[in-house]
Amino acid sequence: MQNYLSKLNEAQQQPTTHTDGPLMVIAGAGSGKTRVLTYRIAYLMQKGVDAFSILALTFTNKAAREMKGRIAEIVGESEAKNLWMGTFHSVFARILRAEADRLGYPSSFTIYDTQDSERLVASIIKEMKLDKDVYKTKQIRNRISAFKNSLITVRAYYNNPELVEADREARRSQMGSIYQNYVERCFKAGAMDFDDLLLKTNELLNRFPDVLAKYQDRFRYILVDEYQDTNHSQYLIVKALADRFQNICVVGDDAQSIYAFRGANIQNILNFQKDYPDAKVYRLEQNYRSTKSIVSAANSLIAHNQNKLEKEVWTANKMGEQIIVHRSPTDGDEGRYVAQSIFEQAMQQQLNYQSFAVLYRTNAQSRAIEDALRKRNIPYRVFGGLSFYQRKEIKDVLAYLRLTVNHKDEESLKRIINYPARGIGQTTIDKLVVAAQKHNISIFDVVEKVHELPLDIHAGTKAKLNDFAVLIRSFQAVNTTQDAFAIADLITKKTGIVQELKKEGTPEAVTRVENVEELLNGIRDFVEGQRELVDATGSLVEFLEDVALATDFDNDKKEENTVALMTVHLAKGLEFPHVYVVGMEEDLFPSAFNMNTRDELEEERRLFYVALTRAESRATLTYTQCRYRWGKLNDAEPSRFLTELNPEFIDNQVFDDDYRFKPLVDNSIFEDVPKDRVRFKKPTVKPKSKTIPPKAKLKPVLRSQTTEAMDTSSIQEGVKVNHSRFGKGVVCSVEGSGGDAKALIDFENGGKKNLLLRFAKLDIL
């Protein structure tokens, strides 16, 4: 029993073996908080606590699976399966399915993802004939989401004059009507969105005391991971469930609270001791991940935040390399520097590419990095792109599956009622929607009663609608006796989706067919996996819930030998030997949108802290002098965060001044221009100024010899050259002479390029 405890240091053992009463574990980056959570659950179970009475809440399914796997190694797989462990949304969805009738929902309710919600909001805006430039779909959906996460229901909205007035001043006087319409349509469709999973759980626990008492009694021990990321709605649910026994353990790091934009409230962790005055507080301050240089630099950064819990993260690891701060002329040069650096490090240290990660503040920054990596033939993967389950062909199949489970799901019905094409046009669909609202029934009910209701629809179209209804009802009949794979396989064959895709005959269509096949493979795997679970059946309802609640990195492909590209937000919880944080510039990182208040700026600083502490052995920070934004080349200024890093741990690399700027005209014509206005002049460093701290010995950055510094006659047909952007190539032909000389060069990676030699930066190999 005590064997696994020997793997913990003293600071980790204390919260692990703490059994009763509230406790908070303040865990610094890389300090082993997941291990503490995992072993604490195993310890409780070995002390005789029933697995069914332990509730563990995480933010990703991947984290829950890994924790459950470790626990199974200690207490046995059979007992580990009895734990209530998963994401907030998955656990609360499970409770809501069991208690759905209390709220008037079917137990097979559909879970709308963000796309579904936006489509419904767009439909409502269109039906209400509102100005789409004022009532922008994403903005309206995000506002509804914010309302729900703050427990502002439609009634609460109308009872809050300030909210109503704010929308009126923003020319959104119909916001309340859209919100009310949205809620009613979701209810009629038997659907909940992600935010409803929290809102409705709060409603359930508040309106029905017997339900609250039931789950309070069941969950005698509650553990919450990443507590700093909880929003107000999550906080209230956890507080209500833990109120009876108060055996609540929260783990988190206020320095890594970076999700305010989606409702996370850092005050939840900062005020934990006010909520539970008897709470015991433990601190995990030893970092096992990073070198002393990285840990010390991160500490010097986060010390600038005022709103924080006191702790001093330290490490027994080696000092390691200093953090490299590198300046590039443009974002294109920045990308080429990162690609070159990754290539050199991989070659020199014999590393796999999966040892490298490039982090950025906004997704748009990935383009320059991707271009440079492709030129270098370095494989990479962009995380946070289009999810497998968001691809059109997959959404189409899922819509059939969802409609089979819940025929009231109007978003799914509208998506596939005429796909594959069956002669039911948009005009007919609009008439069905109007009839459904008029008679207060679902669209599918209208379709089934198409011959009974007074609808202005052609007889031929009515027959097609009837055929569609019969098709869906036949799927529902089979679904009562078959598992998820059997019904999904039947649907893909009978609807003709695969045949429709094959008819296109394009390479893209082949890929889409393969995606549908992969979906079926995934469903088969899911059904096989469900057979191992105690209370699972492998039903279509279970599969659709699993898909709807999938979180980032659930389909982990880190084993692929690729460089990882992602935003800093997505990188939270991950670690890599080598990390590049690009775009360290004012108005980019920190973001121009998050510098209006101290709270916003401190969140940006925490975000940089998270980025820096993802690195195990080497961290590189890059910034540019100019960056393309909205198609224009703008001057850039180094981020203030770079000045906040202790210079003792920084290796400041700077290009020569003339690296980018080369005069094209005689300077004598500008004699009357003061010299201090020359662009790209090296900044004068003054003590305590807002510039990057100087380093005694700057590492020189070598520049290629360009054709401007050499006789262009050396560039001849057959000569092998190297270009900073296009790589290696061979000169095919040369035309002209002097300043007009041009060379056609065939590059290994960039193809044939015609370059003007006086501007080309070429090395002769």
Side-chain angles (χ1 to χ4, degrees):
M1 171 179 170
Q2 302 301 320
N3 182 37
Y4 62 92
L5 294 179
S6 64
K7 299 177 182 177
L8 304 174
N9 63 32
E10 185 179 347
Q12 293 170 330
Q13 281 190 21
Q14 291 176 352
T16 300
T17 56
H18 178 122
T19 52
D20 296 334
L23 71 148
M24 175 168 64
V25 182
I26 302 170
S31 61
K33 69 176 179 60
T34 304
R35 177 175 288 190
V36 168
L37 262 181
T38 303
Y39 287 175
R40 184 170 191 273
I41 294 171
Y43 184 82
L44 288 172
M45 292 171 69
Q46 290 195 329
K47 280 288 186 181
V49 176
D50 189 348
F52 285 100
S53 65
I54 298 175
L55 170 63
L57 297 168
T58 66
F59 274 84
T60 66
N61 292 319
K62 180 171 175 277
R65 284 198 299 269
E66 288 177 354
M67 287 172 61
K68 192 174 282 191
R70 291 187 200 175
I71 293 167
E73 292 174 4
I74 300 170
V75 302
E77 198 163 326
S78 179
E79 272 302 298
K81 287 177 180 175
N82 297 330
L83 287 166
W84 278 66
M85 179 182 284
T87 64
F88 284 86
H89 291 90
S90 65
V91 169
F92 298 155
R94 186 175 171 185
I95 291 173
L96 286 169
R97 290 212 187 277
E99 313 291 342
D101 59 315
R102 300 276 192 141
L103 300 173
Y105 280 84
S107 60
S108 59
F109 62 79
T110 300
I111 299 174
Y112 278 177
D113 63 16
T114 303
Q115 268 193 14
D116 298 321
S117 296
E118 286 180 359
R119 282 163 62 99
L120 179 53
V121 168
S123 296
I124 292 169
I125 291 170
K126 180 182 176 183
E127 291 161 17
M128 292 177 67
K129 296 181 171 59
L130 299 174
D131 186 345
K132 288 189 291 186
D133 292 331
V134 175
Y135 295 90
K136 295 180 179 177
T137 301
K138 286 192 176 182
Q139 288 183 0
I140 299 298
R141 194 212 71 85
N142 290 342
R143 190 152 173 79
I144 290 173
S145 175
F147 286 157
K148 290 185 176 183
N149 283 321
S150 300
L151 263 63
I152 299 172
T153 60
V154 173
R155 180 180 296 179
Y157 172 83
Y158 280 119
N159 288 339
N160 189 324
E162 292 181 5
L163 285 176
V164 175
E165 182 58 31
D167 281 322
R168 187 178 293 118
E169 289 181 1
R171 295 172 56 224
R172 293 193 301 254
S173 58
Q174 295 299 307
M175 182 68 221
S177 298
I178 296 173
Y179 186 16
Q180 183 168 1
N181 207 336
Y182 177 83
V183 170
E184 290 173 353
R185 292 277 283 276
C186 283
F187 182 76
K188 193 168 76 172
M192 294 189 194
D193 61 24
F194 282 142
D195 304 308
D196 281 328
L197 296 178
L198 304 178
L199 179 66
K200 297 298 180 184
T201 302
N202 266 302
E203 181 181 347
L204 187 68
L205 300 180
N206 277 275
R207 284 182 52 199
F208 304 99
D210 58 320
V211 174
L212 174 60
K214 170 183 172 182
Y215 288 101
Q216 281 180 336
D217 188 56
R218 172 172 291 176
F219 303 133
R220 301 194 173 213
Y221 290 85
I222 298 175
L223 300 94
V224 185
D225 191 15
E226 306 285 12
Y227 192 63
Q228 77 280 351
D229 292 334
T230 53
N231 60 31
H232 184 58
S233 191
Q234 291 164 328
Y235 162 79
L236 290 175
I237 295 170
V238 170
K239 195 167 189 312
L241 291 174
D243 195 49
R244 183 173 177 187
F245 294 102
Q246 302 219 345
N247 292 326
I248 179 171
C249 168
V250 301
V251 180
D253 181 7
D254 59 299
Q256 296 186 64
S257 178
I258 59 173
Y259 291 113
F261 70 93
R262 69 182 189 197
N265 186 356
I266 192 174
Q267 296 303 320
N268 292 346
I269 193 167
L270 295 178
N271 294 333
F272 184 80
Q273 289 172 277
K274 292 181 181 178
D275 292 333
Y276 303 94
D278 299 329
K280 183 74 175 171
V281 178
Y282 299 94
R283 286 176 169 79
L284 303 182
E285 297 174 314
Q286 182 176 0
N287 180 300
Y288 288 92
R289 175 188 301 152
S290 307
T291 62
K292 278 191 174 74
S293 289
I294 293 170
V295 170
S296 300
N299 283 344
S300 67
L301 169 82
I302 206 65
H304 288 80
N305 271 11
Q306 296 180 9
N307 201 15
K308 61 181 185 291
L309 296 169
E310 290 303 323
K311 65 178 177 300
E312 184 64 32
V313 180
W314 61 278
T315 184
N317 294 342
K318 63 182 181 180
M319 178 58 71
E321 298 181 46
Q322 291 177 304
I323 294 169
I324 296 170
V325 174
H326 186 276
R327 184 184 78 190
S328 297
T330 68
D331 45 351
D333 293 297
E334 179 183 55
R336 287 187 282 279
Y337 165 75
V338 170
Q340 175 68 17
S341 176
I342 290 174
F343 179 78
E344 290 176 354
Q345 292 295 316
M347 292 300 105
Q348 291 169 7
Q349 301 183 39
Q350 295 298 297
L351 296 172
N352 290 325
Y353 284 122
Q354 66 191 43
S355 299
F356 299 87
V358 183
L359 310 182
Y360 33 77
R361 181 64 181 83
T362 64
N363 279 306
Q365 290 169 256
S366 76
R367 193 231 7 117
I369 306 297
E370 289 186 67
D371 286 349
L373 291 174
R374 277 199 302 271
K375 296 278 178 20
R376 277 275 174 190
N377 282 328
I378 297 174
Y380 65 89
R381 180 187 175 203
V382 180
F383 287 82
L386 191 63
S387 161
F388 177 79
Y389 292 109
Q390 295 299 326
R391 292 169 181 157
K392 180 187 180 301
E393 62 275 12
I394 301 303
K395 292 279 283 185
D396 290 336
V397 176
L398 291 178
Y400 273 104
L401 301 182
R402 284 166 42 164
L403 199 61
T404 299
V405 166
N406 173 20
H407 69 269
K408 293 183 177 181
D409 183 349
E410 70 172 54
E411 288 308 304
S412 293
L413 183 143
K414 287 191 290 187
R415 184 180 190 97
I416 48 87
I417 193 170
N418 195 42
Y419 183 80
R422 49 176 63 91
I424 302 171
Q426 187 59 47
T427 303
T428 300
I429 295 172
D430 291 342
K431 290 177 181 178
L432 295 175
V433 171
V434 171
Q437 292 181 17
K438 179 180 178 181
H439 298 284
N440 196 27
I441 56 179
S442 70
I443 299 176
F444 189 83
D445 289 337
V446 175
V447 172
E448 286 201 303
K449 298 177 180 178
V450 70
H451 293 295
E452 303 170 22
L453 297 172
L455 298 171
D456 182 22
I457 295 176
H458 190 271
T461 305
K462 286 185 177 181
K464 292 168 185 172
L465 289 169
N466 185 68
D467 290 344
F468 175 74
V470 171
L471 181 70
I472 299 302
R473 286 300 187 191
S474 71
F475 294 154
Q476 291 176 339
V478 175
N479 187 46
T480 58
T481 58
Q482 300 290 328
D483 62 30
F485 174 74
I487 186 64
D489 189 42
L490 175 71
I491 286 174
T492 55
K493 288 174 181 174
K494 288 199 69 174
T495 57
I497 283 181
V498 174
Q499 289 82 352
E500 184 76 12
L501 292 172
K502 286 180 178 177
K503 274 195 301 186
E504 293 181 27
T506 63
E508 292 78 12
V510 172
T511 302
R512 294 189 188 109
V513 171
E514 290 172 349
N515 286 338
V516 173
E517 290 173 354
E518 183 58 33
L519 174 65
L520 293 175
N521 292 338
I523 298 175
R524 187 192 288 275
D525 287 343
F526 173 81
V527 171
E528 292 296 324
Q530 291 297 93
R531 286 175 183 160
E532 300 175 11
L533 303 181
V534 179
D535 54 353
T537 62
S539 69
L540 196 51
V541 170
E542 290 175 353
F543 171 73
L544 290 172
E545 181 171 310
D546 186 71
V547 170
L549 299 173
T551 56
D552 294 326
F553 294 101
D554 282 348
N555 296 316
D556 190 10
K557 293 186 180 178
K558 194 177 176 182
E559 72 278 0
E560 291 183 358
N561 189 23
T562 57
V563 175
L565 273 59
M566 67 188 83
T567 63
V568 182
H569 282 101
L570 276 183
K572 189 166 179 291
L574 304 178
E575 55 189 43
F576 301 88
H578 293 244
V579 169
Y580 295 80
V581 187
V582 299
M584 292 301 306
E585 296 144 32
E586 285 292 293
D587 295 338
L588 186 55
F589 203 173
S591 166
F593 302 107
N594 290 329
M595 293 193 293
N596 299 316
T597 66
R598 179 172 296 280
D599 285 347
E600 289 179 350
L601 184 59
E602 291 199 349
E603 170 133 344
E604 287 290 303
R605 187 177 288 113
R606 291 194 296 270
L607 190 57
F608 179 37
Y609 176 85
V610 167
L612 193 54
T613 54
R614 297 312 92 199
E616 296 172 3
S617 58
R618 195 169 193 261
T620 302
L621 313 175
T622 69
Y623 69 100
T624 67
Q625 292 174 302
C626 289
R627 183 175 296 275
Y628 277 100
R629 304 186 78 173
W630 306 108
K632 294 181 180 178
L633 190 63
N634 296 314
D635 288 342
E637 179 186 348
S639 169
R640 69 188 71 189
F641 295 151
L642 294 176
T643 71
E644 296 174 355
L645 297 170
N646 187 333
E648 180 184 345
F649 307 105
I650 303 301
D651 180 0
N652 199 8
Q653 297 186 349
V654 180
F655 274 106
D656 292 344
D657 281 341
D658 62 344
Y659 175 79
R660 178 177 181 275
F661 180 72
K662 298 186 184 301
L664 306 180
V665 295
D666 185 353
N667 279 336
S668 64
I669 66 172
F670 300 118
E671 283 182 343
D672 58 331
V673 179
K675 291 183 179 179
D676 61 357
R677 286 178 55 191
V678 177
R679 202 178 187 192
F680 299 137
K681 182 174 182 295
K682 184 180 290 186
T684 303
V685 180
K686 298 178 182 178
K688 297 184 180 179
S689 66
K690 294 255 177 174
T691 57
I692 297 179
K695 180 126 177 64
K697 294 181 180 179
L698 292 180
K699 186 179 290 186
V701 178
L702 298 177
R703 290 184 291 123
S704 300
Q705 180 191 19
T706 69
T707 52
E708 286 183 272
M710 63 196 301
D711 184 359
T712 56
S713 63
S714 58
I715 303 295
Q716 298 176 354
E717 185 177 341
V719 171
K720 293 182 179 180
V721 295
N722 187 65
H723 187 274
S724 61
R725 181 177 176 190
F726 303 122
K728 295 178 181 178
V730 178
V731 178
C732 299
S733 62
V734 179
E735 294 180 15
S737 61
D740 296 324
K742 295 185 293 185
L744 179 64
I745 304 174
D746 188 3
F747 291 102
E748 292 177 4
N749 299 326
K752 290 185 177 181
K753 306 287 181 185
N754 212 357
L755 304 183
L756 197 59
L757 290 180
R758 63 182 169 133
F759 296 133
K761 299 171 183 176
L762 294 172
D763 280 332
I764 297 178
L765 301 177

